[in-house]
Amino acid sequence: MTSPRALVTGAGIAGLSTAYWLARAGWDVTVLERFSAFRDGGQNIDVRGAAREVLSRMGLEEAVRGLGTTEQGTALVDGDGRVIARFPVEDPDGPTAELEILRGDLAGVILGALPDSVTVRYGDQIEGVRDDGTSVEVTLMSGPAERYDLVVIAEGVRSRTRDLIPGLTVTRRELGVTMAYGTIARTGDDDRWWRWYSAEGGRQITLRPDRTGTTRATLAFTGDGDLGDLPLDRVRAELRGRFHDAGWQAERVVDGFARSDDVYLDRLTQIVMPSWSAGRVCVTGDAAWCVTPLGGGGTSLAMVGGYVLAAYLSRAEVGVALTRYEQWMRPLIEDAQKLPPGTPGLFYPTSAAGVRALRLAARIGSTGVLRRLTARIGHVARTGRALPEMGGPPPR
Ligand SMILES: Cc1cc2nc3c(=O)[nH]c(=O)nc-3n(C[C@H](O)[C@H](O)[C@H](O)COP(=O)(O)OP(=O)(O)OC[C@H]3O[C@@H](n4cnc5c(N)ncnc54)[C@H](O)[C@@H]3O)c2cc1C
């Protein structure tokens, strides 16, 4: 009997996790990545909740632990770098998780663990999709048409293939926050804490340790200004204009971004879809349910999504499996997308009075409103339900 064939588009955490588990369930899997090479970029992300169990079932927990960023916790600081509040890693509700790793390292670990029945093709993407009910014909940019039993779209928040599929409806919830990520040189002042600094004008600067001897920085701001389509030099100039008077380490980060070649922009957008499948095509990861860093746990949810999808496909025909996958995942996603009142405004105050109020809340209230906000991030991907079991043959 020949194996069923799946095409997974996108070699991010969602696509790689899906490919890994589908192959373990006996599928013949092709992964298509739009970029010409594996994307190992990205900053510190965490593995939480049910994703810890998925990682352990992959046998990769130790590998990930070995690549940990060694972050000790999260600290809110003022303009002089003085700590206002700390959330140590031992705090299960804090923003820093016990398993913190660079996104690229995690993706690399899963890529390296893919079974032989997975083929990864770079520099290609889907141009057309035709689902006749028994199989899906996809037309590729590289030319030929190919036929699959299932297409899984894991292309991230700005997925294009998703928008080609009749029957998939997407609502984009813009959260009004843009984040610029980049790697800068480490200085003696940098410690093992994730330091958060808020400045008036809805601006935030964060610095995080990594294991490679550099520092991972973000510049975030609220309001208009989609920088996504600008060339990198213009993005850097815009960031300098917005942050030159923000205080704390703004100048250092802006200068660092001017030299960094991995500046990555994200205009935070939640993706909400009433259904994650149409016929033999489904969506997963950020393409299906982007929760944004404000919801937290997008990577954990991507790992869980890949596992759950494959587990149901290992035990039921495609239509039934896609329905069960959605039923299992939806409560986790709805929970992560429900931002508490005050978000994002509380973290991004526009006035000097707002900044003072945030610092006061932090000072008196690692236990109050701030704790409730950070605790949400800590709880992401947590469920009392057991993961569905895999029904397919053992790994080949
Ligand atoms: C380079 C990079 C850096 C990131 N850095 C951070 C970070 O620092 N902090 C953070 O919180 N999150 C970051 N993210 C987002 C984070 O990885 C995701 O929120 C989460 O892991 C869920 O991943 P995903 O696989 O659903 O989507 P993504 O991680 O966005 O992966 C989607 C993949 O699909 C590919 N793709 C897109 N369109 C197509 C297409 N038409 N055909 C084929 N392939 C396509 C993309 O190139 C990408 O490799 C980053 C993502 C990327 C790609």
Side-chain angles (χ1 to χ4, degrees):
M1 203 179 84
T2 56
S3 301
R5 300 182 69 221
L7 180 67
V8 177
T9 64
I13 306 291
L16 293 172
S17 175
T18 304
Y20 176 94
W21 288 110
L22 276 179
R24 291 266 307 247
W27 286 63
D28 191 345
V29 185
T30 300
V31 178
L32 213 58
E33 166 59 46
R34 182 164 69 95
F35 272 64
S36 57
F38 174 61
R39 300 184 75 184
D40 63 357
Q43 302 206 343
N44 315 42
I45 50 88
D46 44 36
V47 184
R48 294 183 188 263
R52 287 287 294 271
E53 175 62 20
V54 170
L55 193 67
S56 151
R57 291 184 188 193
M58 285 172 151
L60 298 178
E61 202 166 350
E62 279 321 302
V64 167
R65 198 178 293 284
L67 294 171
T69 58
T70 69
E71 190 169 285
Q72 291 174 347
T74 304
L76 267 66
V77 300
D78 66 15
D80 296 318
R82 280 188 300 256
V83 174
I84 301 165
R86 282 189 197 275
F87 302 88
V89 68
E90 296 78 25
D91 178 349
D93 290 339
T96 296
E98 187 210 341
L99 269 190
E100 293 270 350
I101 181 172
L102 294 178
R103 176 206 165 274
D105 283 345
L106 177 61
V109 166
I110 303 175
L111 181 77
L114 289 178
D116 291 343
S117 53
V118 180
T119 306
V120 185
R121 295 193 331 222
Y122 294 98
D124 204 356
Q125 57 186 302
I126 291 179
E127 285 201 327
V129 179
R130 207 173 57 83
D131 182 348
D132 66 14
T134 52
S135 66
V136 190
E137 187 185 79
V138 297
T139 317
L140 302 177
M141 198 180 67
S142 59
E146 297 179 1
R147 202 165 271 285
Y148 292 91
D149 299 289
L150 173 74
V151 172
V152 182
I153 300 169
E155 299 174 357
V157 59
R158 317 260 168 234
S159 168
R160 292 182 203 162
T161 308
R162 175 188 60 200
D163 300 336
L164 298 175
I165 311 298
L168 291 182
T169 317
V170 183
T171 302
R172 293 164 179 83
R173 278 190 205 146
E174 298 279 350
L175 300 185
V177 178
T178 300
M179 285 189 179
Y181 302 89
T183 307
I184 62 174
R186 194 174 155 74
T187 64
D189 174 62
D190 291 342
D191 55 22
R192 307 303 310 168
W193 288 77
W194 180 12
R195 288 179 292 166
W196 287 5
Y197 166 75
S198 291
E200 61 189 273
R203 295 170 293 179
Q204 190 189 68
I205 303 170
T206 75
L207 297 176
R208 303 186 81 165
D210 65 19
R211 65 175 183 87
T212 57
T214 50
T215 292
R216 307 288 165 145
T218 58
L219 297 175
F221 58 91
T222 55
D224 293 336
D226 189 356
L227 311 185
D229 292 330
L230 297 179
L232 200 48
D233 276 353
R234 286 279 310 283
V235 169
R236 291 177 175 130
E238 280 281 335
L239 292 172
R240 188 176 290 282
R242 283 174 191 267
F243 279 86
H244 73 278
D245 60 350
W248 191 46
Q249 307 222 12
E251 209 176 313
R252 170 190 168 204
V253 177
V254 167
D255 286 346
F257 279 14
R259 287 187 284 273
S260 166
D261 58 5
D262 72 345
V263 174
Y264 166 86
L265 270 189
D266 188 8
R267 185 161 174 76
L268 306 195
T269 310
Q270 285 188 345
I271 296 295
V272 181
M273 299 177 68
S275 170
W276 293 328
S277 65
R280 291 177 168 270
V281 180
C282 73
V283 281
T284 194
D286 281 3
W289 56 61
C290 183
V291 297
T292 79
L294 287 182
T299 298
S300 292
L301 292 166
M303 292 184 66
V304 176
Y307 173 89
V308 171
L309 177 61
Y312 283 123
L313 282 163
S314 74
R315 295 165 2 157
E317 56 91 12
V318 169
V320 173
L322 294 182
T323 304
R324 291 190 183 149
Y325 149 72
E326 179 157 342
Q327 284 167 344
W328 203 94
M329 287 302 296
R330 207 164 266 284
L332 284 187
I333 302 307
E334 285 179 351
D335 189 43
Q337 287 190 330
K338 222 180 289 153
L339 296 176
T343 322
L346 181 68
F347 277 113
Y348 298 92
T350 50
S351 65
V355 172
R356 283 197 298 275
L358 171 64
R359 291 185 185 156
L360 183 66
R363 207 167 271 128
I364 58 177
S366 313
T367 52
V369 82
L370 215 55
R371 172 162 290 277
R372 280 205 298 282
L373 288 178
T374 55
R376 287 188 45 75
I377 297 177
H379 281 111
V380 85
R382 240 188 243 180
T383 170
R385 291 170 297 143
L387 286 167
E389 293 302 323
M390 280 285 170
R396 290 184 292 170

